């Protein structure tokens, strides 16, 4: 019980430290140190945990890949490839409602902190043209911006899942996520885009050429996935294909200097601190036994899902970062006795539940930057989310129970 109280109290410091302008990576590491000291792990135990992270191939793959994906996003923005994708997309697709959904989804592929701000200006401009109210524009940008985190094997959360439970098949988790994604896209369309106008038509003189250009411009986004699927190479090696593609698509000016400048140390430290926290949590035997006992008492199905939902949403909400919740729930899941199919289904459930807590957090950086770009208040956005949040939670439970019935 003491370890549980120490963990809860330590996590409660996160919003306070962030308000003091401390970076999230530093905040999480401070919390990890406090938990280590007060729970009996000590500085020596923490040092061994850090060394273990740097000698674990799965952890290194996660850290390097996240760094490279962040660099890819910066490079594509620097060389105007993102603008080219958006402008070409407008020539290929005449229905601007579809474009409103696609732009943040495609830009969301690029894992950069607060990345929604890259698509926000485009969505704001199109939404104004289509007479969509600013709070709805913000909701559209944020909802569709996060679709890719469930679909791409090199997204931070899926890399973290693989590092936490190496025997997991990431592509199976992605497949289980598709019904949920289809559902939230349909809900978002119905609530925020249905009935809006289409604005001024953009006519293309040569749609076939525009489609070809779009396929070429998006090579950096999909080539690394293709390389990984075909060769089985680690993601950080596959990502070299994307970086090379940017070199050939850009103007090549000062490329190596731009690559070095695009490295985001804060993003790397944030992932590193989460991985260390996860391994520290795994050493809290008393707390894990307590929560495991609560989960065992629930049996399976709805009871386990309710416990996991409370933990996931709480830690996702107070940290504004989805892997913070996963750092606690994935170790608990790995200790439970169930079939591999069931583990994959519960991994999907934990992803969506932790995402829900993170998504609505006032500390969510994408939300903060989107609201600033669109001049929308937090309460205005939350009013737009009222029905969406309820339907999203029902969808999470409905799809999980369906998957358990079909595949567990």
């Amino acid at each position: 019980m003491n370890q549980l109280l120490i963990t809860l109290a330590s996590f409660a410091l996160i919003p306070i430290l962030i308000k003091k302008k401390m970076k999230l990576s530093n905040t999480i590491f401070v919390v990890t140190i406090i938990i280590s000291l007060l729970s009996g792990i000590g500085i020596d135990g923490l040092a061994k945990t850090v060394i273990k992270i740097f000698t674990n191939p799965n952890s290194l793959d996660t850290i390097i890949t996240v760094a490279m994906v962040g660099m890819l996003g910066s490079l594509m923005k620097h060389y105007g490839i993102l603008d080219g994708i958006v402008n070409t997309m407008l020539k290929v697709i005449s229905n601007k409602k579809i474009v409103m959904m696609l732009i943040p989804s495609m830009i969301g592929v690029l894992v950069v902190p607060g990345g929604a701000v890259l698509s926000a200006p485009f969505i704001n401009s199109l939404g104004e043209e289509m007479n969509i109210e600013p709070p709805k524009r913000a909701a559209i940008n944020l909802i569709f911006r996060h679709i890719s985190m469930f679909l791409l094997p090199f997204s931070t959360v899926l890399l973290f899942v693989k590092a936490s439970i190496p025997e997991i098949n990431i592509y199976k988790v992605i497949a289980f996520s598709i019904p949920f994604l289809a559902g939230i896209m349909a809900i978002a369309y119905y609530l925020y885009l249905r009935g809006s106008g289409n604005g001024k038509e953009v006519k293309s003189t040569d749609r076939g050429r525009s489609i070809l250009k779009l396929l070429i411009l998006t090579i950096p986004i999909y080539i690394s996935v293709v390389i990984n699927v075909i060769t089985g190479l680690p993601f950080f090696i596959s990502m070299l294909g994307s970086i090379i593609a940017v070199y050939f698509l850009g103007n090549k000016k000062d490329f190596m200097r731009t690559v070095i400048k695009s490295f985001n140390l804060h993003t790397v430290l944030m992932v590193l601190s989460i991985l260390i926290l996860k391994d520290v949590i795994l050493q809290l035997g008393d707390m894990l036994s307590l929560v495991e006992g609560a989960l065992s008492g629930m049996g399976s199905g709805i009871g386990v899902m309710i416990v996991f939902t409370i933990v996931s949403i709480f830690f996702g909400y107070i940290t504004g970062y989805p892997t913070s919740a996963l750092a606690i729930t994935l170790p608990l899941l790995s200790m439970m006795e169930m079939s591999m199919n069931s583990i994959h289904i519960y991994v999907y459930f934990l992803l969506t539940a932790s995402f829900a807590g993170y998504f609505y957090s006032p500390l969510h950086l994408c939300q903060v930057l989107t609201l600033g770009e669109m001049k929308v208040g937090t309460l205005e956005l939350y009013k737009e989310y009222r029905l969406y949040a309820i339907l999203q939670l029902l969808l999470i439970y409905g799809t999980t129970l369906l998957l358990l019935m079909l595949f567990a």
Side-chain angles (χ1 to χ4, degrees):
M1 179 63 77
N2 285 342
Q3 289 181 345
L4 178 60
L5 293 175
I6 288 167
T7 302
L8 291 172
S10 300
F11 267 82
L13 291 173
I14 291 178
I16 298 170
L17 293 175
I18 288 175
K19 283 186 178 180
K20 298 289 185 182
K21 307 300 181 183
M22 182 179 286
K23 288 185 176 180
L24 182 58
S25 56
N26 297 335
T27 298
I28 292 172
F29 196 64
V30 167
V31 166
T32 304
I33 292 172
I34 293 171
I35 292 173
S36 300
L37 291 175
L38 297 181
S39 65
I41 293 172
I43 293 296
D44 288 344
L46 180 60
K48 290 177 183 177
T49 301
V50 174
I51 292 170
K52 182 183 173 184
I53 294 292
F54 285 104
T55 55
N56 184 309
N58 290 310
S59 297
L60 286 176
D61 187 4
T62 299
I63 294 166
I64 298 171
T65 303
V66 168
M68 293 188 71
V69 174
M71 292 166 69
L72 175 63
S74 296
L75 289 170
M76 290 183 70
K77 186 174 187 295
H78 177 82
Y79 288 107
I81 297 173
L82 284 180
D83 289 338
I85 289 173
V86 172
N87 293 332
T88 307
M89 194 184 297
L90 287 169
K91 295 178 181 178
V92 172
I93 304 169
S94 59
N95 189 323
K96 291 185 180 177
K97 295 177 186 177
I98 296 176
V99 174
M100 289 273 284
M101 295 187 286
L102 284 177
I103 288 175
S105 300
M106 292 193 70
I107 294 179
V109 168
L110 308 173
V111 184
V112 289
V117 76
L118 298 176
S119 55
F122 299 109
I123 299 304
N124 202 27
S125 176
L126 284 171
E128 185 176 6
E129 187 179 322
M130 296 164 65
N131 296 318
I132 297 174
E133 297 171 357
K136 288 186 177 181
R137 293 178 217 164
I140 291 166
N141 189 53
L142 290 165
I143 291 168
F144 289 100
R145 144 78 180 152
H146 292 89
I147 296 295
S148 59
M149 70 182 286
F150 294 95
L151 288 176
L152 294 172
F154 53 76
S155 71
T156 304
V157 289
L158 291 179
L159 287 169
F160 185 78
V161 167
K162 187 66 176 176
S164 302
I165 312 178
E167 60 270 24
I168 281 288
N169 182 335
I170 286 299
Y171 292 101
K172 195 170 187 177
V173 177
I174 291 171
F176 285 158
S177 301
I178 290 174
F180 167 73
L181 297 176
I184 61 171
M185 289 170 71
I187 293 168
Y189 180 88
Y190 182 84
L191 292 177
Y192 307 123
L193 283 165
R194 185 179 65 99
S196 62
N198 196 47
K200 185 180 178 182
E201 291 285 343
V202 178
K203 295 183 179 180
S204 174
T205 55
D206 193 340
R207 181 163 291 182
R209 183 176 294 178
S210 296
I211 291 173
L212 178 60
K213 183 179 179 182
L214 187 61
L215 288 172
I216 293 171
L217 288 173
T218 52
I219 286 175
I221 294 174
Y222 61 77
I223 191 63
S224 56
V225 178
V226 173
I227 293 172
N228 173 258
V229 170
I230 293 174
T231 66
L233 288 169
F235 282 118
F236 73 89
I237 296 177
S238 302
M239 286 302 302
L240 289 172
S242 295
I243 302 294
I244 293 169
V246 173
Y247 173 78
F248 285 107
L249 290 172
N251 61 21
K252 304 180 181 63
K253 183 179 179 182
D254 297 327
F255 186 77
M256 287 309 300
R257 185 184 299 174
T258 307
V259 168
I260 294 169
K261 285 177 64 177
S262 66
F263 176 75
N264 190 320
L265 180 61
H266 173 61
T267 301
V268 173
L269 291 176
M270 189 157 54
V271 174
L272 176 61
S273 63
I274 290 288
L275 288 171
I276 295 170
L277 173 63
K278 182 262 300 180
D279 280 4
V280 165
I281 294 294
L282 279 172
Q283 297 175 56
L284 302 179
D286 292 344
M287 185 188 80
L288 293 177
S289 297
L290 185 66
V291 182
E292 187 184 12
L295 290 171
S296 299
M298 292 289 180
S300 60
I302 289 290
V304 171
M305 289 166 65
I306 290 172
V307 174
F308 274 144
T309 299
I310 294 169
V311 174
S312 297
I313 290 180
F314 174 75
F315 286 107
Y317 185 83
I318 66 170
T319 62
Y321 201 65
T323 47
S324 301
L326 293 173
I328 293 175
T329 55
L330 287 176
L332 295 171
L333 177 64
S334 66
M335 296 168 63
M336 297 177 69
E337 293 185 9
M338 58 178 68
S339 68
M340 278 307 296
N341 262 356
S342 295
I343 289 176
H344 280 82
I345 294 167
Y346 277 107
V347 164
Y348 152 73
F349 176 76
L350 293 178
L351 279 174
T352 52
S354 61
F355 168 73
Y358 145 78
F359 186 76
Y360 299 110
S361 171
L363 302 177
H364 180 183
L365 187 56
C366 287
Q367 176 176 297
V368 172
L369 295 175
T370 296
L371 294 178
E373 173 69 29
M374 298 188 180
K375 306 296 188 292
V376 173
T378 303
L379 290 179
E380 290 180 280
L381 178 63
Y382 285 169
K383 285 179 182 178
E384 287 295 338
Y385 278 155
R386 284 177 299 185
L387 180 56
Y388 175 81
I390 295 170
L391 294 174
Q392 183 193 54
L393 190 60
L394 290 174
L395 187 62
I396 291 171
Y397 271 73
T399 51
T400 303
L401 291 172
L402 182 61
L403 288 170
L404 288 170
M405 288 172 56
L406 294 175
F407 301 109

